[in-house]
Amino acid sequence: MNQQFSKSISIGKETRLFQFTRMENKNGVKFFITAHDLNQKAFSCSMRQDEHTYDWKLIPGSHRWLYDIQDELSGAIVETSLN
């Protein structure tokens, strides 16, 4: 069963609305995250929970700038209690 929520996150001087979708399969739980840039071009990334620290981490291959807000993205997931 997929569960969804949205969260506005500040990136520098702008704020973007991120859509989070919880997905679960045989490999565990992950969150698929989408948003739009200033030109309304969609981008996405995914996060998995670290098996040692239990923090949510970006899956390798994400846009570099997303790592700057990784803690905010992780915090949004923790706040929802969907995990």
Side-chain angles (χ1 to χ4, degrees):
M1 180 173 149
N2 292 345
Q3 296 171 309
Q4 297 180 319
F5 69 94
S6 301
K7 174 81 174 182
S8 292
I9 296 176
S10 296
I11 305 167
K13 295 180 179 179
E14 57 190 80
T15 300
R16 294 191 185 145
L17 183 64
F18 289 81
Q19 305 287 335
F20 293 75
T21 302
R22 182 186 189 275
M23 305 170 92
E24 188 169 0
N25 61 26
K26 64 180 181 169
N27 297 321
V29 175
K30 78 174 183 178
F31 278 85
F32 181 68
I33 305 165
T34 58
H36 292 85
D37 67 15
L38 292 176
N39 298 318
Q40 295 304 309
K41 182 180 175 188
F43 61 89
S44 63
C45 63
S46 295
M47 296 186 89
R48 275 214 168 86
Q49 198 168 31
D50 184 279
E51 59 189 52
H52 302 291
T53 65
Y54 300 107
D55 294 330
W56 289 90
K57 300 288 185 187
L58 288 165
I59 293 175
S62 300
H63 293 284
R64 285 180 188 253
W65 65 268
L66 287 167
Y67 288 90
D68 293 338
I69 61 165
Q70 180 172 253
D71 290 344
E72 289 86 347
L73 295 169
S74 177
I77 293 170
V78 172
E79 287 174 12
T80 65
S81 73
L82 294 178
N83 53 9

